[in-house]
Amino acid sequence: MEQYRIETHLHTNHTSKCGWLDAAALAEGYAQAGYAAVAVTDHYNRDTFEYLDLDTTAPDDVMSHFLDGFRRMEAECAKRGLKVYKGAELRFDECCNDYLLYNYPDELLARPEEVFHMGIAAFAPLAREAGALLVQAHPYRKKCTPAFACYLDGVEVCNLNPRHENNNPRAEEYAALHGLLRTGGSDCHRSEDIGQGGILARTLPEDAAALVRLLRSGEYTVIGAE
């Protein structure tokens, strides 16, 4: 049976300060690598808004700028037959942890200062109420610590970014210990990162809501952790 390759963690240079690649390069790279879909998880943190020269206290137009990378990916991936899902990688002021967010309404992130200050404990119930999925990225990378499991839906157990020591086995253990769902991703920033990770599934989600349903079902394989 055919399996679809889905990237769950990538960054564009349109939004993420650390991204090296534009939407056209990413879309072409993932098409060539045999992927059927990608989730765009540009960084949502203070560095991002400084890079975009946005005032986080005047949120009226924040999301249109933050989602520029996602919108450009939609256009470029449509030319190549790839599906695109809206995501984000959040960092709160409380620590250096990063959290992947999928299937969220724009309103949830429309006021950055409030989001940055609230932290994971206050944000998690709002995300769940909105139908979003919250996954801690690379919880054992340097300066990161695993969040209390009650605030998480899942853990990225196989981050394949080659420039960090991600301690993926420890993340796998944490997910198993607390019964959290497991994801994997390339954490793509540069050309050499394209197509290194993600998930394999027998169904291809139509949109971000369907991606969340797939992740909640557990009916997929984490690339690199087979």
Side-chain angles (χ1 to χ4, degrees):
M1 182 179 292
E2 181 178 10
Q3 288 196 308
Y4 299 97
R5 299 177 75 87
I6 303 170
E7 177 62 79
T8 64
H9 191 166
L10 71 80
H11 303 279
T12 75
N13 69 0
H14 306 292
T15 300
S16 294
K17 181 179 180 179
C18 55
W20 285 29
L21 304 173
D22 63 17
L26 285 163
E28 182 62 22
Y30 274 93
Q32 291 294 327
Y35 279 66
V38 299
V40 180
T41 55
D42 275 317
H43 288 288
Y44 182 101
N45 56 29
R46 291 196 179 277
D47 285 344
T48 296
F49 289 102
E50 180 179 344
Y51 171 62
L52 298 176
D53 194 25
L54 293 177
D55 182 358
T56 59
T57 66
D60 289 346
D61 203 29
V62 161
M63 291 307 291
S64 65
H65 292 284
F66 173 73
L67 292 173
D68 183 44
F70 166 67
R71 299 299 182 202
R72 290 173 185 262
M73 283 293 289
E74 279 190 312
E76 292 296 335
C77 286
K79 300 174 186 177
R80 298 163 174 84
L82 277 68
K83 293 190 180 299
V84 183
Y85 312 122
K86 183 177 71 173
E89 185 172 3
L90 311 182
R91 179 177 291 183
F92 305 104
D93 287 342
E94 62 189 5
C95 67
C96 291
N97 286 352
D98 293 307
Y99 304 93
L100 298 167
L101 184 70
Y102 306 101
N103 190 42
Y104 60 89
D106 291 357
E107 298 76 29
L108 186 64
L109 301 183
R111 297 184 177 277
E113 282 299 328
E114 292 181 11
V115 174
F116 293 148
H117 286 300
M118 70 173 59
I120 187 64
F123 182 82
L126 298 179
R128 287 173 178 157
E129 184 179 357
L133 189 81
L134 194 60
V135 174
Q136 185 169 2
H138 46 71
Y140 287 96
R141 183 179 288 182
K142 185 178 180 180
K143 296 184 179 180
C144 298
T145 56
F148 289 120
C150 60
Y151 302 135
L152 302 174
D153 297 303
V155 173
E156 187 181 50
V157 301
C158 195
N159 181 296
L160 293 176
N161 185 295
R163 292 172 300 281
H164 294 278
E165 177 50 65
N166 293 302
N167 295 299
N168 290 321
R170 295 185 68 189
E172 182 78 67
E173 291 173 2
Y174 192 78
L177 177 64
H178 296 284
L180 296 168
L181 64 84
R182 305 160 59 255
T183 71
S186 301
D187 195 358
C188 180
H189 292 74
R190 308 180 187 180
S191 57
E192 62 265 31
D193 306 337
I194 291 175
Q196 296 302 305
I199 62 173
L200 290 170
R202 293 177 179 171
T203 59
L204 181 60
E206 285 295 317
D207 53 25
L211 173 65
V212 165
R213 289 195 294 272
L214 172 65
L215 292 174
R216 290 192 186 282
S217 77
E219 296 178 355
Y220 57 87
T221 302
V222 176
I223 295 172
E226 296 92 333

